[in-house]
Amino acid sequence: MAKFSGVGYKLLLFLEFLVLVLLVGTCTKRPADRAEEEQRQIDHSSNAIHITHDEAPDFSLLDTAHYYYGLVNDDAYFYKVNKVTSNNCSGVYYRMDSTTQWLVPEAFTIEYAQNHIYFISKGQRVPFEFDVLLDSMSLTGSFELENGELFPATNHLVFTRYQKPPFQTVKSKRFSQEFLDVKVLKDIQYGQAKGFWTSYQLDESKFLKTLLKNLGKTITPKSLKLTLDLYMPENDTIEVHPLFVLMHGGAFYFGDKGAENMRLWCEHFAKMGYVVASVNYRLGFLPNKAAIQRCGYEAIQDANAAMRFLVHHAEQYGIDTSNVFVGGTSAGSIAMLSMAFMNDYNCPDFVREHNFKKKLGSLKTAGNDIRQSFKIKAIANMWGALYDLKEIDSRPVPVISFHGDCDNVVPFDRGIPFSDVKGKIGERLFDTMYGSQAIHEHLDSLGIRNEFYPLRGMKHAPYEDASGHVNDVYYFIQNKMQAFFLKEIQRVAPIREISKKPLQYAIKQDDIQEIQWKVEGGFILERNGHTATVVWLKDAPRNTISASGRLKNGAPFYVQKKISKPRFI
């Protein structure tokens, strides 16, 4: 109520009566010192009025929208008026103490009859007298009972309207929309290794002719600089950013980190708040199975070397090493999947058969001298594959996959790459591989979070049109990929009960920057950082606690916990 008439104040008086009702059920004969002391701290508004039982209350103006919280003598209560008529009102009250977890309702009615006011609850109808001061937010005063069997003769009360703590779901453009400028650092050297080349522009339709033309160039490896391009957000308020590392496709033979499909994704994710790297790696091979297997192994080595380099220089480049994402297309995806899941002990059989580890070095140490561990948060797999599904078993990394179900280059499910090439060349040059459908099914069997988008009726690399420019499929993949990553960046620990007396909930996570709490079917009594002290209403239709806030990396989050009612209270 913004303004109070005499009738309105009577209504507030009626609220006081309701408070008295609460007292009727549970007050003990303790001193009323808490209520009396807090009465002195209430600063009533200038339009507060003084009301006694000599006036008949006007129930029609009672506040039925809010709960009130306070004391009767030394006992704490919540109460709420639910219904009013011309001569009575009814509602519920709840008594609580320091051990209360669930507030049990007691129904009451306050009735005006024959120039007397009665409180009716628990099967009893008790007359009482009162003397209160009230305004739109608070009520203080005292009441006396004509029947002293249930309550002390004199009682003090102080109540204020319960106000929910402010709560708003935190939202942000970060990691979901472009809003930042981007700085690009070209050709950063992350390692050095022997190979044939790290960049090759090729018309894919002439792949076989190019293989034959380059036979002499793929016999003796030479020392190569391994480089990457780094796309970094500029003028950002956040100092460290998630890392997204991309590797281009090209059958382990051609391609470049500056290709349009790589560059546009790098720019897009950097504008949303990521540090993004596009990586060149060793390419080229003689047209035989062992050479192709060697080239694939070297690409996985280079992927590992790039990851070690970037994580090692995290402070220099503003990288959040707890949020590292990788992705690739075709051969780049094969390398990234293997980098994430394969180690020196679960390699495919051909690695041991050809003694690659001794000849070429370990997967985890080749390419540079950096010894740096890292952890992958999620993988974006675009028409990639694995040599062995068992590689996945060692690391539960979430994966989002896209694959044309008519792909004739990398198998959609299980098969031989380039299976449609004449003369069974695919069978002669490649081993069986497991594509995105098989990867998805295996991840599901392990309970690892993943999403799979079969691209129906589409062939290999369907994200480009006939002229080599990105198309609608490219942006479909982009949107799904950024949403998948965002869920990982936003991931917070669940809300947990950390104390029963008092009942407290918390999110135990160090990287929370700010947090707000909200409950449905209960009251928040106190908020202290990541902790909320709560009591629940037994008669509420549902009981939930929610938290929204922002992580130190700038990502917004929202989490909710449903509370189950106990059978007995």
Side-chain angles (χ1 to χ4, degrees), residues 201-261:
Q201 300 299 323
L202 172 72
D203 180 352
E204 191 173 354
S205 64
K206 300 178 181 178
F207 186 35
L208 292 179
K209 291 182 179 180
T210 303
L211 278 174
L212 296 175
K213 183 182 71 173
N214 286 337
L215 285 177
K217 299 178 182 179
T218 53
I219 296 175
T220 305
K222 58 185 178 181
S223 182
L224 300 173
K225 289 184 178 180
L226 305 176
T227 63
L228 58 83
D229 294 341
L230 202 63
Y231 295 71
M232 303 172 62
E234 269 199 310
N235 303 318
D236 196 4
T237 56
I238 303 295
E239 293 183 358
V240 295
H241 306 82
L243 173 65
F244 183 23
V245 184
L246 281 163
M247 291 183 74
H248 63 81
F252 296 110
Y253 202 91
F254 62 92
D256 182 76
K257 56 184 171 58
E260 180 187 70
N261 49 59

Side-chain angles (χ1 to χ4, degrees), residues 124-391:
Q124 299 191 50
R125 187 170 184 263
V126 182
F128 62 93
E129 297 179 354
F130 56 88
D131 187 330
V132 297
L133 187 65
L134 55 88
D135 57 28
S136 60
M137 296 298 294
S138 59
L139 177 149
T140 62
S142 62
F143 65 92
E144 295 184 0
L145 301 174
E146 295 183 8
N147 184 343
E149 294 180 3
L150 297 177
F151 319 100
T154 301
N155 303 273
H156 296 81
L157 59 92
V158 53
F159 277 83
T160 57
R161 181 188 295 179
Y162 173 75
Q163 299 186 70
K164 295 180 179 180
F167 181 89
Q168 185 174 12
T169 302
V170 177
K171 297 180 180 180
S172 174
K173 295 180 180 179
R174 188 173 298 278
F175 311 131
S176 61
Q177 298 178 44
E178 296 182 359
F179 72 104
L180 293 165
D181 296 327
V182 177
K183 176 175 66 176
V184 184
L185 303 179
K186 294 277 191 177
D187 299 320
I188 299 172
Q189 184 174 350
Y190 68 86
Q192 189 155 341
K194 287 187 175 182
F196 303 117
W197 55 80
T198 61
S199 176
Y200 198 103
Q201 300 299 323
L202 172 72
D203 180 352
E204 191 173 354
S205 64
K206 300 178 181 178
F207 186 35
L208 292 179
K209 291 182 179 180
T210 303
L211 278 174
L212 296 175
K213 183 182 71 173
N214 286 337
L215 285 177
K217 299 178 182 179
T218 53
I219 296 175
T220 305
K222 58 185 178 181
S223 182
L224 300 173
K225 289 184 178 180
L226 305 176
T227 63
L228 58 83
D229 294 341
L230 202 63
Y231 295 71
M232 303 172 62
E234 269 199 310
N235 303 318
D236 196 4
T237 56
I238 303 295
E239 293 183 358
V240 295
H241 306 82
L243 173 65
F244 183 23
V245 184
L246 281 163
M247 291 183 74
H248 63 81
F252 296 110
Y253 202 91
F254 62 92
D256 182 76
K257 56 184 171 58
E260 180 187 70
N261 49 59
M262 294 291 106
R263 175 178 55 81
L264 291 179
W265 271 339
C266 289
E267 292 174 351
H268 173 69
F269 278 86
K271 289 178 180 179
M272 294 194 300
Y274 291 78
V275 171
V276 192
S278 183
V279 179
N280 271 354
Y281 54 100
R282 283 173 286 175
L283 305 170
F285 48 80
L286 285 169
N288 64 70
K289 181 178 286 189
I292 294 173
Q293 291 170 340
R294 172 182 177 139
C295 188
Y297 183 85
E298 290 173 340
I300 300 167
Q301 285 182 318
D302 295 349
N304 274 283
M307 297 302 300
R308 294 196 307 272
F309 173 86
L310 289 166
V311 172
H312 183 72
H313 292 89
E315 185 174 353
Q316 178 182 350
Y317 296 126
I319 293 170
D320 174 7
T321 58
S322 66
N323 283 298
V324 176
F325 301 86
V326 300
T329 60
S330 192
S333 186
I334 292 172
M336 282 301 197
L337 285 164
S338 297
M339 181 273 296
F341 292 121
M342 186 190 296
N343 55 51
D344 289 322
Y345 306 101
N346 67 354
C347 294
D349 291 339
F350 68 77
V351 174
R352 290 181 289 274
E353 290 170 2
H354 298 303
N355 203 14
F356 282 160
K357 183 176 180 181
K358 183 176 181 180
K359 294 178 180 178
L360 305 176
S362 165
L363 286 172
K364 304 300 182 183
T365 60
N368 57 43
D369 295 329
I370 298 171
R371 302 296 177 260
Q372 178 74 59
S373 62
F374 55 87
K375 184 177 181 180
I376 306 301
K377 198 74 172 280
I379 306 166
N381 161 39
M382 279 76 81
W383 37 97
L386 281 169
Y387 295 103
D388 188 346
L389 290 177
K390 291 181 180 178
E391 296 171 19

